[in-house]
Amino acid sequence: MWQDEEVREMVKSSKIYMIGHRQELFFEVVNFIPAAGGLLVFQLKMGEVVSPLITYNIRTELEHLLKDDDEIDLEIGPKLIRFTLNGSENVIKWFTPDFFLFLYWRKQIEVNVYGDFDLRQFTNFELYYVGISKKGDSFSRLFEQAHHGRLKILTNAQTKKYGSRLTDELTIFMFDIDKININIFNTEDDLKQDMNYVTDAEAVIADAEKAFIKLLKTEYNEVTYQNFPQSTDGLYNEGLTRYGYSIQENITFYTDSIEFKGDFDLRAINDFILVEGDSAKVVKVSDNQN
C-alpha cells in the first residue's frame, strides 16, 4: 500500500494515527445466486463471533456502472470480494470485511441483513498507541522509516487467538481533524478580540494526541503527558473556555482502564474528552458516567 499512489493521496491529510488490535475478520459462507441479477450471500466471522446472513444484490448496486451487455466477473475469498467487467482487470467494486463494515455504518452500501446485526462486535479494538506526524502525513511517519512504537508493538504484544499472526490483527487508523469553533461574545471587547478567532489545526492535532494518550492510558506510548492539558504546542494558551474531542466513526477503543465509543452520526450520543482550564476528563455520555 505504501507504493500505491491512490492510497497515498487518500491518506495524505492524516496527521494523527492510532494503532489497535482485534481478532482478524473474514467473510464466511459466501455464496453466489445468479437469479435476480446476482445475489451475494455471506456472513462476517471473527473468532467465535458470526454475523447473521447478509445479502448484496450485485446488479442493483452496480447498475449505474453497467451497460446492457456487460458481464460481471466476481472474485470471492475470505479477505476480499471484488467485481470486474468483461474479463478485464477493470475493478468496479471491491470490499474487504473491514471496508464493508465502514461502508455499512456510513450507509454507503445497500444490503439486507437477516437477523440482529450488532456491527460493534466487530469494531471493538484494544488501543495500543496514539501518534502524530507534525512534518508529514501519518502514512509517511509509520512506514517511510522504522517506526519505534509500531515495531515495539510487533515485538511485545500478544495475539488474541492461538495460531494467528499479530501482523494480521493490528489495525492502523489514520484520522483527519474536523474542527468546529463556537465563539460567544458578551461584550464589545469580546467581539473585538475573538471575532476572527479560528483554532490552529496543528495545535488541535498536537493537543488531541496528548489528550487521548493521557486519558486512555495507552500501553505503548512512552511519553504519557501527565501535565495535560498544560502544553506549549497544544491549546492550553489559546484562551478557550472549554473544548472536546470525539471520534466520528462507529468504532470503540479500549485499554486496561477505559472504553471510548465513537459514532459516525453526529446526532448520536457518544463518548468525548472534555477539557476546561486545567481539567481534562472522559465523559461517558453513552452510559451517563463521567
Side-chain angles (χ1 to χ4, degrees), residues 15-30:
K15 298 285 188 178
I16 186 166
Y17 57 90
M18 302 184 187
I19 302 177
H21 187 194
R22 178 216 58 196
Q23 273 190 263
E24 195 172 7
L25 185 61
F26 298 98
F27 292 119
E28 181 82 355
V29 193
V30 180

Side-chain angles (χ1 to χ4, degrees), residues 34-272:
L39 198 65
L40 195 61
V41 184
F42 62 93
Q43 293 172 288
L44 295 173
K45 181 177 174 60
M46 184 188 70
E48 300 300 318
V49 181
V50 182
S51 76
L53 281 175
I54 301 168
T55 61
Y56 175 83
N57 191 303
I58 296 172
R59 181 66 62 169
T60 300
E61 271 285 281
L62 304 181
E63 62 181 353
H64 64 289
L65 301 173
L66 305 175
K67 300 176 183 177
D68 291 339
D69 57 347
D70 279 336
E71 292 186 3
I72 301 173
D73 300 306
L74 175 62
E75 298 176 58
I76 301 174
K79 295 185 179 183
L80 177 69
I81 296 174
R82 180 164 59 184
F83 307 91
T84 55
L85 277 182
N86 306 319
S88 70
E89 296 182 356
N90 179 24
V91 178
I92 57 173
K93 192 81 171 184
W94 65 271
F95 40 84
T96 62
D98 281 299
F99 187 45
F100 168 77
L101 284 176
F102 178 80
L103 296 173
Y104 181 80
W105 77 58
R106 285 173 164 244
K107 296 181 173 57
Q108 294 175 0
I109 191 170
E110 292 187 19
V111 297
N112 291 315
V113 180
Y114 295 89
D116 294 328
F117 182 28
D118 180 8
L119 71 85
R120 287 190 178 271
Q121 294 181 94
F122 305 102
T123 62
N124 195 27
F125 294 84
E126 183 174 5
L127 182 62
Y128 284 163
Y129 187 90
V130 180
I132 61 172
S133 178
K134 293 183 178 180
K135 296 183 178 180
D137 59 82
S138 297
F139 212 14
S140 300
R141 175 76 177 90
L142 282 159
F143 297 108
E144 193 167 35
Q145 299 176 354
H147 183 270
H148 175 69
R150 181 168 59 91
L151 295 179
K152 189 174 180 181
I153 292 169
L154 289 170
T155 301
N156 296 286
Q158 300 296 314
T159 63
K160 300 303 181 190
K161 181 182 178 183
Y162 179 76
S164 59
R165 299 192 310 160
L166 182 59
T167 50
D168 293 331
E169 295 188 353
L170 282 181
T171 302
I172 297 173
F173 300 85
M174 299 185 191
F175 289 104
D176 200 354
I177 293 289
D178 185 12
K179 58 187 178 68
I180 300 173
N181 277 85
I182 300 175
N183 298 348
I184 300 174
F185 311 116
N186 294 316
T187 67
E188 185 175 343
D189 288 339
D190 291 341
L191 185 64
K192 292 177 181 178
Q193 178 178 323
D194 297 330
M195 179 64 183
N196 298 315
Y197 174 79
V198 177
T199 309
D200 179 71
E202 289 188 7
V204 173
I205 292 164
D207 199 88
E209 179 206 28
K210 296 175 178 62
F212 278 97
I213 290 173
K214 177 184 177 180
L215 295 173
L216 272 64
K217 297 179 173 58
T218 46
E219 180 179 355
Y220 288 93
N221 281 98
E222 296 178 353
V223 181
T224 58
Y225 302 108
Q226 290 307 300
N227 291 328
F228 179 84
Q230 296 182 31
S231 69
T232 57
D233 60 348
L235 299 176
Y236 185 69
N237 296 314
E238 291 290 296
L240 302 175
T241 303
R242 68 184 58 86
Y243 59 92
Y245 298 107
S246 62
I247 293 177
Q248 194 188 345
E249 298 293 353
N250 285 39
I251 53 180
T252 300
F253 290 125
Y254 69 92
T255 62
D256 289 340
S257 60
I258 198 167
E259 180 181 88
F260 194 89
K261 180 180 179 182
D263 203 300
F264 177 69
D265 188 349
L266 287 174
R267 299 165 297 178
I269 298 175
N270 60 336
D271 303 335
F272 65 96

